[in-house]
Amino acid sequence: PPAIAARATLRCGDNSLVYVDFFQGEELANFRAEQGDAPIQLRAEAAGQPYTNGEITVEGNAQQVSVTRGGSTLNCKA
């Protein structure tokens, strides 16, 4: 994989934390709902598009993201 461009810990509106690693090229990200979880790889169709694996979608950057999973969306900030 490409090098990590940014590693973010973000607090969401429900007071939970999510962990996202954004890779150079803006087409790959790793998502973790808990710090010790194995990363879930998400891909974007093109740079600037949302990252997804079909079940989880992350849209945004290392400062602010929207995470959609299980039919609900959380807004999260660094």
Side-chain angles (χ1 to χ4, degrees):
I4 293 174
R7 181 168 277 155
T9 301
L10 304 115
R11 182 158 309 273
C12 302
D14 67 353
N15 211 32
S16 64
L17 294 173
V18 296
Y19 307 87
V20 184
D21 299 330
F22 295 93
F23 290 84
Q24 290 179 353
E26 299 180 23
E27 293 182 8
L28 179 66
N30 282 341
F31 172 84
R32 294 184 312 278
E34 301 286 334
Q35 192 169 18
D37 286 354
I40 298 169
Q41 191 174 84
L42 308 175
R43 293 194 174 273
E45 288 187 25
Q49 296 294 312
Y51 303 94
T52 188
N53 70 349
E55 296 178 18
I56 300 169
T57 299
V58 172
E59 187 171 1
N61 56 45
Q63 277 65 48
Q64 183 173 340
V65 297
S66 293
V67 178
T68 303
R69 59 184 168 155
S72 63
T73 300
L74 290 172
N75 293 314
C76 311
K77 295 181 180 181

